[in-house]
Amino acid sequence: MAPRGGFSSRIGFIAAAAGSAVGLGNIWGFPFEVGEGGGAAFVVIYLMFCFILCFPVMATEIAIGRKTQKNPVGAFTALGYKNWNWVGKLGILAGILILSFYNVIAGWAFGYIFEMAAGHFGGGEQFGEYTLKIFKVGGYGLAFMATTALVVSRGISGGIEKAAKMLMPTLVVMMLAMVIYSLTLPNAMDGIRFYLVPDFSKINAGVVYNAMGQAFFSLSLGMGALITYGSYVNKKENIVSAAALITLADVGIAVIAGLMIFPLIGFMSGGTMEGAAGGPGLIFVTLPTIFGTLGSIGPVVGTLFFVLLCFAALTSTVSLLEVPVAYAVDELNIKRNRAVWIVAGIIFAIGIPSLLGFGYSDFFSTAFTTYKEGGTDTDFLSFIASLANDSILPLGGCMIAFFAAHVWRKHNLDDELAEGSPNYKGSFVQKYLNFAVGYLAPFVLAVVFVLTVLFKFFGISIF
Ligand code: PHE
């Protein structure tokens, strides 16, 4: 077999997979979803989804990847079920869609490094004007995509693994420092209350669907990113404990991001928490305003923050690009380097409408869809996010779980999970995973998928 490359160590794999999981989804997405979902009640539902449903699906994806040593499409074929490989194709489509808009936001973040360094702390107005300068932000986006492509073209252990091992720890230290600072501000506790004390009257169907979408997105599940990374993992690796660590790391970073941002919103709003539901612009508006109050260290802290955000985003864009690239290399026999640049170019182009949808083009900003969630106008980026994150990922997760338990069969899944984990068989974890992958996840995910599609795209709400 031609060498596909692989992770050189356990820690390398965990860093890369955690790097895939930890990204804009945690630091940009999670706080704004919490804000829009009404605070702590969203957090509770989100955490339940992550640990009860997503963790078993994660172990399953990695196991399928390691067993087959293939990309998500080739994996189903390699197990002997070619007629299931549409699930892999759907995953690749999701990856392409996600990267197309993800790169737009990463591009914004990249440009904000320079805005911060220059001491531009203008808040909402500044951000609004910034997203309108499409050649500038488009250029940043292009640079970000090119960087992603460069890492992916270097392969697994030399590019992806090395980058992740360096970037992840730095990110954590930096975020903790920011948490400590924001907790010292006046009205910080109002933010903490909003974030951590649940008010279950705020929960409605839409909140539940978004929590599910966010959990899948944040954990990089449902589209085969972890099948792909799993394909580079060796047989000595304990998949179950790796999946647990990755889940914990991802949830941990999201929780820390909230601890960083909500006290700041508490401070800025004078305790009313107005502005918490700031949507996609939240961290580009709230945080810079705070950095502006720090005096001479503001530009330093601001610059550092966006540098780290870009690093976190980079380890995720790398995993997103790796999925279609692995497919092109394994299935279409295209050389890695070529595949990387072609695929990256196509995905950048697909992202252009998302780039234009923040006021530059009326069509992509509002007129494009008006049916979502019972008639509110939606920009193109949010539309793609609803389609990919909230719909395709849970569907993919449902299918992967169902496939593993009932088509490939539980004992095969168990055998793969037991490799590198001598105590797995007969353990409580095994029993739980069997139940979750076989019944709970397929059922819950199928229901959530149908309800989400009806609600988001047809405005029909059953609950
Ligand atoms: N999990 C990443 C984030 O939270 C995004 C991602 C989704 C990456 C799906 C890979 C696959 O930013």
Coordinates of all heavy atoms in Angstrom, one line a residue, residues 171-240:
L171 N -3.1 28.5 23.2 CA -4.4 29.1 23.2 C -5.0 29.0 24.6 O -5.6 29.9 25.1 CB -5.3 28.2 22.2 CG -6.7 28.6 22.2 CD1 -6.9 30.0 21.5 CD2 -7.6 27.6 21.4
V172 N -4.9 27.8 25.2 CA -5.5 27.6 26.5 C -4.9 28.6 27.6 O -5.7 29.3 28.3 CB -5.2 26.2 27.1 CG1 -5.7 26.0 28.5 CG2 -5.9 25.2 26.1
V173 N -3.6 28.8 27.6 CA -3.0 29.7 28.5 C -3.5 31.2 28.3 O -4.0 31.8 29.3 CB -1.5 29.7 28.4 CG1 -0.8 30.8 29.2 CG2 -0.9 28.3 28.8
M174 N -3.6 31.6 27.1 CA -4.0 32.9 26.7 C -5.5 33.1 27.2 O -5.9 34.1 27.7 CB -3.9 33.0 25.2 CG -4.5 34.2 24.6 SD -3.4 35.6 24.8 CE -4.4 36.9 24.4
M175 N -6.3 32.1 26.9 CA -7.7 32.3 27.3 C -7.9 32.4 28.8 O -8.7 33.1 29.3 CB -8.6 31.1 26.7 CG -8.7 31.3 25.2 SD -9.6 29.9 24.5 CE -11.3 30.2 25.1
L176 N -7.2 31.5 29.5 CA -7.3 31.6 31.0 C -7.0 32.9 31.5 O -7.6 33.5 32.4 CB -6.5 30.5 31.6 CG -7.1 29.1 31.5 CD1 -6.1 28.0 32.0 CD2 -8.5 29.0 32.1
A177 N -5.9 33.5 31.0 CA -5.5 34.9 31.4 C -6.7 35.9 31.1 O -7.0 36.7 32.0 CB -4.3 35.3 30.7
M178 N -7.3 35.7 30.0 CA -8.4 36.6 29.7 C -9.6 36.4 30.6 O -10.3 37.4 31.0 CB -8.8 36.5 28.3 CG -7.7 36.9 27.4 SD -8.1 37.8 25.9 CE -9.8 38.3 26.0
V179 N -9.9 35.1 31.0 CA -10.9 34.9 32.0 C -10.7 35.6 33.3 O -11.6 36.3 33.8 CB -11.1 33.4 32.2 CG1 -12.0 33.1 33.4 CG2 -11.6 32.6 31.0
I180 N -9.5 35.5 33.8 CA -9.1 36.1 35.0 C -9.3 37.6 35.0 O -10.0 38.2 35.8 CB -7.7 35.8 35.4 CG1 -7.6 34.3 35.7 CG2 -7.2 36.5 36.7 CD1 -6.2 33.7 35.9
Y181 N -8.9 38.2 33.9 CA -9.1 39.6 33.7 C -10.6 40.0 33.7 O -11.0 40.9 34.5 CB -8.4 40.1 32.5 CG -8.7 41.6 32.2 CD1 -8.2 42.6 33.0 CD2 -9.7 41.9 31.2 CE1 -8.5 43.9 32.8 CE2 -10.0 43.3 31.0 CZ -9.4 44.3 31.8 OH -9.7 45.6 31.6
S182 N -11.4 39.3 32.9 CA -12.8 39.7 32.8 C -13.5 39.5 34.1 O -14.5 40.2 34.3 CB -13.4 39.1 31.6 OG -13.4 37.7 31.7
L183 N -13.1 38.5 34.9 CA -13.8 38.3 36.1 C -13.6 39.4 37.1 O -14.4 39.6 38.1 CB -13.4 36.9 36.7 CG -14.0 35.7 36.1 CD1 -13.4 34.4 36.7 CD2 -15.5 35.7 36.1
T184 N -12.6 40.2 36.9 CA -12.3 41.3 37.9 C -13.1 42.5 37.5 O -13.1 43.5 38.3 CB -10.8 41.7 37.9 OG1 -10.5 42.2 36.5 CG2 -9.9 40.5 38.2
L185 N -13.8 42.6 36.4 CA -14.5 43.8 36.0 C -15.8 44.0 36.8 O -16.4 43.0 37.2 CB -14.8 43.7 34.5 CG -13.6 43.8 33.6 CD1 -13.9 43.4 32.2 CD2 -12.9 45.2 33.7
P186 N -16.3 45.2 37.0 CA -17.6 45.4 37.6 C -18.7 44.7 36.8 O -18.6 44.7 35.5 CB -17.8 46.9 37.5 CG -16.4 47.5 37.1 CD -15.6 46.4 36.6
N187 N -19.7 44.2 37.5 CA -20.8 43.6 36.8 C -20.5 42.2 36.1 O -21.3 41.7 35.4 CB -21.6 44.5 35.8 CG -22.2 45.7 36.4 OD1 -21.7 46.8 36.3 ND2 -23.3 45.5 37.2
A188 N -19.3 41.8 36.4 CA -18.9 40.5 35.8 C -19.9 39.4 36.3 O -20.2 38.5 35.5 CB -17.5 40.1 36.2
M189 N -20.3 39.5 37.5 CA -21.2 38.4 38.0 C -22.5 38.3 37.4 O -23.1 37.3 37.3 CB -21.3 38.6 39.6 CG -20.1 38.1 40.3 SD -19.6 36.4 39.8 CE -17.8 36.6 39.6
D190 N -23.0 39.5 36.8 CA -24.3 39.4 36.1 C -24.1 38.6 34.8 O -25.0 37.8 34.4 CB -24.7 40.8 35.7 CG -25.0 41.7 36.9 OD1 -25.9 41.2 37.7 OD2 -24.4 42.7 37.1
G191 N -22.9 38.7 34.3 CA -22.6 37.9 33.1 C -22.5 36.4 33.5 O -23.1 35.5 32.8
I192 N -21.9 36.1 34.6 CA -21.8 34.7 35.1 C -23.1 34.1 35.4 O -23.4 33.0 35.0 CB -20.9 34.7 36.3 CG1 -19.4 35.0 35.9 CG2 -20.9 33.3 37.0 CD1 -18.7 34.1 35.0
R193 N -24.0 34.9 36.0 CA -25.3 34.4 36.3 C -26.1 34.1 35.0 O -26.7 33.0 34.9 CB -26.1 35.5 37.1 CG -27.2 35.0 37.9 CD -27.8 36.0 38.9 NE -26.7 36.5 39.7 CZ -26.4 37.8 39.9 NH1 -27.1 38.7 39.2 NH2 -25.5 38.2 40.7
F194 N -26.0 35.0 34.0 CA -26.7 34.7 32.7 C -26.2 33.4 32.1 O -26.9 32.6 31.6 CB -26.4 35.9 31.8 CG -26.9 35.7 30.4 CD1 -28.2 36.0 30.0 CD2 -26.0 35.3 29.4 CE1 -28.6 35.9 28.7 CE2 -26.4 35.2 28.1 CZ -27.8 35.4 27.8
Y195 N -24.9 33.2 32.3 CA -24.2 32.1 31.6 C -24.4 30.8 32.3 O -24.5 29.7 31.7 CB -22.7 32.5 31.5 CG -21.8 31.4 30.9 CD1 -22.2 30.8 29.7 CD2 -20.5 31.2 31.4 CE1 -21.3 29.9 29.1 CE2 -19.7 30.3 30.8 CZ -20.1 29.6 29.7 OH -19.2 28.7 29.1
L196 N -24.5 30.9 33.7 CA -24.4 29.6 34.4 C -25.7 29.3 35.2 O -25.8 28.1 35.7 CB -23.2 29.6 35.3 CG -21.8 29.6 34.6 CD1 -20.7 29.6 35.6 CD2 -21.7 28.4 33.6
V197 N -26.6 30.2 35.4 CA -27.8 29.9 36.2 C -28.9 29.7 35.2 O -29.4 30.7 34.6 CB -28.1 30.9 37.2 CG1 -29.3 30.5 38.0 CG2 -26.9 31.2 38.1
P198 N -29.4 28.5 35.0 CA -30.4 28.2 33.9 C -31.8 28.7 34.2 O -32.2 28.6 35.4 CB -30.4 26.7 33.7 CG -29.7 26.1 34.9 CD -28.9 27.2 35.6
D199 N -32.4 29.2 33.2 CA -33.8 29.6 33.3 C -34.5 28.8 32.2 O -34.5 29.2 31.1 CB -33.9 31.1 33.0 CG -35.3 31.6 32.9 OD1 -36.2 30.7 33.0 OD2 -35.5 32.8 32.6
F200 N -35.1 27.7 32.7 CA -35.6 26.8 31.7 C -36.8 27.3 30.9 O -37.2 26.7 29.9 CB -35.8 25.4 32.3 CG -34.5 24.7 32.6 CD1 -34.0 24.6 33.9 CD2 -33.8 24.1 31.5 CE1 -32.8 24.0 34.1 CE2 -32.6 23.5 31.8 CZ -32.1 23.4 33.0
S201 N -37.4 28.4 31.4 CA -38.5 28.9 30.6 C -38.0 29.5 29.3 O -38.8 29.7 28.4 CB -39.2 30.0 31.4 OG -38.4 31.1 31.5
K202 N -36.7 29.6 29.1 CA -36.2 30.2 27.9 C -36.0 29.1 26.8 O -35.6 29.4 25.7 CB -34.8 30.9 28.1 CG -35.0 32.2 28.9 CD -33.7 32.9 28.9 CE -33.9 34.3 29.6 NZ -32.6 34.7 30.2
I203 N -36.2 27.9 27.2 CA -36.0 26.8 26.2 C -37.2 26.6 25.3 O -38.3 26.5 25.8 CB -35.7 25.5 26.9 CG1 -34.4 25.6 27.6 CG2 -35.7 24.3 26.0 CD1 -33.8 24.4 28.2
N204 N -37.0 26.7 24.0 CA -38.0 26.3 23.1 C -37.4 25.3 22.1 O -36.2 25.0 22.1 CB -38.6 27.5 22.4 CG -37.6 28.4 21.8 OD1 -36.7 27.9 21.1 ND2 -37.7 29.7 21.9
A205 N -38.2 24.9 21.1 CA -37.7 23.9 20.2 C -36.4 24.4 19.4 O -35.4 23.7 19.3 CB -38.8 23.6 19.2
G206 N -36.5 25.7 19.0 CA -35.3 26.2 18.2 C -34.0 26.2 19.0 O -33.0 25.9 18.5
V207 N -34.1 26.4 20.3 CA -32.9 26.4 21.2 C -32.3 24.9 21.2 O -31.1 24.7 21.1 CB -33.3 26.8 22.6 CG1 -32.1 26.6 23.5 CG2 -33.7 28.3 22.6
V208 N -33.2 24.0 21.3 CA -32.8 22.6 21.3 C -32.1 22.2 20.0 O -31.0 21.6 20.0 CB -33.9 21.6 21.6 CG1 -33.5 20.1 21.5 CG2 -34.6 21.9 22.9
Y209 N -32.7 22.6 18.9 CA -32.1 22.2 17.6 C -30.7 22.9 17.4 O -29.8 22.3 16.9 CB -33.0 22.7 16.4 CG -34.4 22.2 16.5 CD1 -35.4 22.9 15.9 CD2 -34.7 21.0 17.2 CE1 -36.7 22.5 16.0 CE2 -36.0 20.6 17.3 CZ -37.0 21.3 16.7 OH -38.3 20.8 16.8
N210 N -30.6 24.2 17.8 CA -29.4 24.9 17.7 C -28.3 24.3 18.6 O -27.1 24.2 18.2 CB -29.5 26.4 18.0 CG -30.2 27.1 16.9 OD1 -30.3 26.6 15.8 ND2 -30.6 28.3 17.2
A211 N -28.7 23.8 19.8 CA -27.8 23.2 20.7 C -27.2 21.9 20.1 O -26.0 21.6 20.2 CB -28.4 22.9 22.0
M212 N -28.1 21.1 19.4 CA -27.6 19.9 18.8 C -26.6 20.2 17.6 O -25.6 19.7 17.5 CB -28.8 19.2 18.2 CG -28.4 17.9 17.5 SD -27.6 16.7 18.6 CE -29.0 15.6 18.8
G213 N -27.0 21.2 16.8 CA -26.2 21.6 15.7 C -24.8 22.1 16.2 O -23.8 21.7 15.6
Q214 N -24.9 22.9 17.2 CA -23.7 23.4 17.8 C -22.8 22.3 18.3 O -21.5 22.3 18.2 CB -24.0 24.5 18.8 CG -22.8 25.0 19.6 CD -21.8 25.8 18.7 OE1 -22.2 26.3 17.6 NE2 -20.6 25.9 19.2
A215 N -23.4 21.3 19.0 CA -22.6 20.3 19.6 C -21.9 19.5 18.4 O -20.7 19.2 18.5 CB -23.5 19.3 20.4
F216 N -22.6 19.2 17.4 CA -22.0 18.4 16.3 C -20.9 19.2 15.6 O -19.8 18.7 15.3 CB -23.0 18.0 15.3 CG -23.5 16.6 15.5 CD1 -24.3 16.3 16.6 CD2 -23.0 15.6 14.7 CE1 -24.7 15.0 16.8 CE2 -23.4 14.3 15.0 CZ -24.2 14.0 16.0
F217 N -21.2 20.5 15.4 CA -20.2 21.4 14.7 C -19.0 21.5 15.5 O -17.9 21.3 15.1 CB -20.9 22.7 14.5 CG -20.0 23.7 13.9 CD1 -19.7 23.7 12.5 CD2 -19.5 24.8 14.6 CE1 -18.8 24.6 11.9 CE2 -18.6 25.7 14.0 CZ -18.3 25.6 12.7
S218 N -19.2 21.8 16.8 CA -18.0 22.0 17.7 C -17.1 20.8 17.8 O -15.9 20.9 17.9 CB -18.5 22.5 19.0 OG -17.4 22.9 19.8
L219 N -17.8 19.6 17.8 CA -17.0 18.4 18.0 C -16.5 17.8 16.7 O -15.9 16.8 16.6 CB -17.8 17.4 18.8 CG -18.0 17.8 20.2 CD1 -19.1 16.9 20.9 CD2 -16.7 17.6 21.1
S220 N -16.7 18.6 15.6 CA -16.3 18.1 14.2 C -16.9 16.8 13.9 O -16.3 16.0 13.2 CB -14.8 18.0 14.1 OG -14.1 19.2 14.5
L221 N -18.2 16.6 14.2 CA -18.8 15.3 14.0 C -19.8 15.3 12.9 O -20.2 16.3 12.5 CB -19.6 14.8 15.3 CG -18.7 14.4 16.5 CD1 -19.7 14.0 17.6 CD2 -17.8 13.3 16.1
G222 N -20.1 14.1 12.4 CA -21.2 13.9 11.5 C -20.8 14.1 10.0 O -21.6 13.9 9.1
M223 N -19.6 14.5 9.7 CA -19.2 14.6 8.3 C -17.9 13.8 8.0 O -17.4 14.0 6.9 CB -19.0 16.1 8.0 CG -18.0 16.8 9.0 SD -17.3 18.2 8.2 CE -15.9 17.5 7.3
G224 N -17.4 13.1 8.9 CA -16.3 12.2 8.6 C -14.9 12.8 8.8 O -13.9 12.3 8.4
A225 N -14.9 14.0 9.4 CA -13.6 14.6 9.7 C -12.8 13.6 10.6 O -11.6 13.4 10.4 CB -13.7 16.0 10.4
L226 N -13.5 13.0 11.5 CA -12.8 12.1 12.5 C -12.7 10.7 11.9 O -11.8 10.0 12.4 CB -13.5 12.1 13.8 CG -13.3 13.5 14.5 CD1 -14.2 13.7 15.7 CD2 -11.9 13.8 14.8
I227 N -13.5 10.4 10.9 CA -13.2 9.1 10.1 C -11.8 9.4 9.5 O -10.9 8.5 9.5 CB -14.3 8.8 9.1 CG1 -15.6 8.5 9.7 CG2 -13.8 7.7 8.2 CD1 -16.7 8.2 8.8
T228 N -11.7 10.5 8.9 CA -10.4 10.8 8.1 C -9.2 10.9 9.1 O -8.2 10.2 8.9 CB -10.6 12.2 7.4 OG1 -11.8 12.2 6.7 CG2 -9.4 12.4 6.5
Y229 N -9.4 11.6 10.2 CA -8.2 11.6 11.2 C -8.0 10.2 11.8 O -6.9 9.8 12.0 CB -8.5 12.7 12.3 CG -8.0 14.1 11.9 CD1 -7.8 14.4 10.6 CD2 -7.8 15.0 12.9 CE1 -7.3 15.7 10.3 CE2 -7.3 16.3 12.6 CZ -7.1 16.6 11.2 OH -6.6 17.9 10.9
G230 N -9.1 9.5 12.0 CA -9.0 8.2 12.5 C -8.2 7.3 11.6 O -7.5 6.3 12.0
S231 N -8.3 7.6 10.3 CA -7.6 6.7 9.3 C -6.0 6.9 9.5 O -5.3 6.1 8.9 CB -8.0 7.0 7.9 OG -7.5 8.2 7.4
Y232 N -5.6 7.9 10.2 CA -4.1 8.1 10.3 C -3.7 7.6 11.7 O -2.6 7.9 12.1 CB -3.8 9.5 10.1 CG -4.2 10.1 8.8 CD1 -5.1 11.1 8.7 CD2 -3.7 9.6 7.6 CE1 -5.5 11.6 7.5 CE2 -4.0 10.1 6.4 CZ -5.0 11.1 6.3 OH -5.4 11.6 5.1
V233 N -4.5 6.9 12.5 CA -4.2 6.6 13.8 C -3.8 5.1 13.9 O -4.3 4.3 13.2 CB -5.5 6.7 14.7 CG1 -5.2 6.1 16.1 CG2 -5.8 8.2 14.9
N234 N -2.8 4.8 14.7 CA -2.3 3.4 14.7 C -3.1 2.5 15.7 O -3.8 3.0 16.6 CB -0.8 3.3 14.9 CG -0.4 3.6 16.3 OD1 -1.1 3.2 17.3 ND2 0.7 4.4 16.5
K235 N -2.9 1.2 15.6 CA -3.7 0.2 16.3 C -3.5 0.2 17.8 O -4.3 -0.4 18.5 CB -3.4 -1.2 15.7 CG -3.9 -1.4 14.3 CD -5.4 -1.7 14.3 CE -5.9 -1.9 12.9 NZ -7.4 -1.7 12.8
K236 N -2.4 0.8 18.2 CA -2.1 0.8 19.7 C -2.9 1.9 20.4 O -3.0 1.9 21.7 CB -0.6 1.0 20.0 CG 0.2 -0.2 19.6 CD 1.6 -0.1 20.1 CE 2.5 -0.2 18.9 NZ 3.4 0.8 18.5
E237 N -3.5 2.8 19.7 CA -4.2 3.9 20.3 C -5.5 3.4 21.0 O -6.3 2.6 20.4 CB -4.6 4.9 19.2 CG -5.2 6.1 19.6 CD -4.3 7.0 20.5 OE1 -3.4 7.5 19.9 OE2 -4.6 7.0 21.7
N238 N -5.7 4.0 22.1 CA -7.0 3.7 22.8 C -8.0 4.7 22.3 O -8.0 5.9 22.8 CB -6.8 3.8 24.3 CG -8.0 3.5 25.1 OD1 -9.2 3.6 24.6 ND2 -7.9 3.0 26.4
I239 N -8.9 4.3 21.5 CA -9.8 5.2 20.8 C -10.8 5.8 21.8 O -11.1 7.0 21.8 CB -10.6 4.5 19.7 CG1 -9.6 4.2 18.6 CG2 -11.7 5.4 19.1 CD1 -10.3 3.5 17.4
V240 N -11.3 5.0 22.7 CA -12.4 5.5 23.6 C -11.8 6.6 24.5 O -12.5 7.6 24.7 CB -13.0 4.3 24.5 CG1 -14.0 4.8 25.4 CG2 -13.6 3.3 23.5

